[in-house]
């Protein structure tokens, strides 16, 4: 069996990381009660993931951009700069 890579995914909606479930975006709520982090702020969630493991890649789903309701371009650029 060849090597594989685990790529964590975070879903951004309304400026925060949300808990996505079964594609029902109207029911998504900010990440809460996680052992990973104590805030749904994207930079806090990414820092928590990287404290868990030095992941080389991170997939960010910008749900607002997908739904054509704005987007998180500045947030994503800031994450990329802070966590190269």
């Amino acid at each position: 069996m060849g090597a594989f890579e685990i790529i964590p995914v975070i879903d951004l909606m309304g400026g925060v990381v949300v808990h996505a479930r079964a594609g029902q975006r109207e029911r998504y709520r900010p990440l809460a009660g996680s052992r990973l982090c104590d805030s749904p702020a994207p930079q806090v969630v990414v820092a928590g993931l990287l404290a868990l493991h030095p992941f080389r890649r991170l997939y960010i789903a910008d749900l607002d951009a997908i739904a054509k309701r704005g987007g998180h371009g500045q947030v994503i650029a800031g994450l990329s700069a802070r966590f190269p």
Side-chain angles (χ1 to χ4, degrees), residues 12 15 42-43 60 62 65 70-82:
L12 293 178
Q43 64 276 14
I60 300 173
D62 187 340
H72 296 89
Q74 290 183 338
V75 171
I76 294 168
L79 291 171
S80 181
R82 182 171 175 193

Side-chain angles (χ1 to χ4, degrees), residues 8-29:
V9 176
I10 63 170
D11 295 300
L12 293 178
M13 190 168 75
V16 297
V17 177
V18 294
H19 187 171
R21 293 184 181 168
Q24 300 173 343
R25 292 187 181 141
E26 67 281 355
R27 299 182 71 185
Y28 292 2
R29 299 292 176 258

Side-chain angles (χ1 to χ4, degrees), residues 41-58:
Q43 64 276 14
V44 175
V45 175
V46 172
L49 284 168
L50 293 175
L52 193 65
H53 181 79
F55 295 104
R56 293 179 27 201
R57 291 181 178 83
L58 176 68

